[in-house]
Amino acid sequence: MSSNSEQERERLKEEYKDHYRKIRETKEKLRRSKYVRNVNEALHQMNADQLLENVDEFLGKVRTKMSLIEARLDVAMEHILEQPDDISELDEELKKERARESLKKIKADMGLLYREIEKQAEELHAEKTIGPGTRSESDSTDNKNDSDIA
């Protein structure tokens, strides 16, 4: 009789395993379908014309800033190259210091450009529409109920 009860327990154990596997697979399918739904909703809500206009405006500003920085760099390089080679009063350390200062100035300009780009990106009011930051109350209560089942 003990062998029958052992077999029955093993059979029930396998049934429970199958049941919980199916629950886990169903939860995973639900999670993926919610993700796909969110992506589709975000795509339908996008105003493509306005988005492209904002991106074009943003890129135009970036190009303008980059042109300005490149022009400054060209002027600085011309100034360095135009200096006569026979300057005996300037030693190697002074040249290195000027190069360091020019590099610092260029880096500062690039840093300012980066900050302005970040500021412009914030002004576009880009909002995250997909991911864990956008879960609604119903989603969080569904997950609580799902964990109670398992």
Side-chain angles (χ1 to χ4, degrees):
M1 201 174 233
S2 66
S3 69
N4 282 343
S5 64
E6 285 272 330
Q7 290 174 349
E8 182 66 19
R9 190 169 38 146
E10 288 298 318
R11 185 185 64 77
L12 286 173
K13 185 177 172 182
E14 289 302 316
E15 284 183 25
Y16 288 144
K17 284 181 182 179
D18 288 340
H19 176 72
Y20 285 118
R21 275 189 210 110
K22 288 178 183 177
I23 289 174
R24 187 173 53 227
E25 289 170 1
T26 305
K27 285 181 182 179
E28 181 62 23
K29 286 180 183 178
L30 177 65
R31 186 190 65 77
R32 283 184 293 201
S33 69
K34 286 181 181 180
Y35 177 78
V36 169
R37 185 189 71 215
N38 287 342
V39 169
N40 286 333
E41 287 176 5
L43 288 174
H44 289 294
Q45 291 174 356
M46 282 178 36
N47 182 352
D49 295 335
Q50 182 183 10
L51 181 65
L52 288 175
E53 181 181 316
N54 287 342
V55 169
D56 286 343
E57 180 182 333
F58 176 71
L59 287 175
K61 289 179 181 179
V62 169
R63 286 185 186 118
T64 303
K65 291 289 182 182
M66 288 302 295
S67 298
L68 179 65
I69 290 172
E70 286 175 357
R72 284 180 160 174
L73 180 62
D74 287 343
V75 168
M77 291 302 292
E78 286 176 6
H79 178 70
I80 290 172
L81 294 175
E82 287 177 356
Q83 292 178 352
D85 292 336
D86 60 295
I87 299 178
S88 59
E89 69 257 6
L90 292 179
D91 61 356
E92 192 64 32
E93 287 299 317
L94 184 57
K95 288 181 183 179
K96 286 182 182 180
E97 186 60 33
R98 281 189 178 175
R100 279 190 219 113
E101 287 176 12
S102 296
L103 187 59
K104 284 181 186 178
K105 185 174 181 182
I106 292 169
K107 284 182 179 180
D109 288 343
M110 292 302 283
L112 291 175
L113 174 66
Y114 180 75
R115 283 188 222 112
E116 288 180 22
I117 289 171
E118 287 294 318
K119 183 180 176 186
Q120 290 172 1
E122 289 175 8
E123 289 173 0
L124 289 178
H125 302 293
E127 294 181 17
K128 184 176 182 182
T129 59
I130 299 173
T134 61
R135 298 178 78 179
S136 66
E137 284 294 322
S138 63
D139 289 346
S140 62
T141 56
D142 289 345
N143 287 341
K144 288 179 187 174
N145 292 337
D146 290 346
S147 63
D148 292 341
I149 294 171

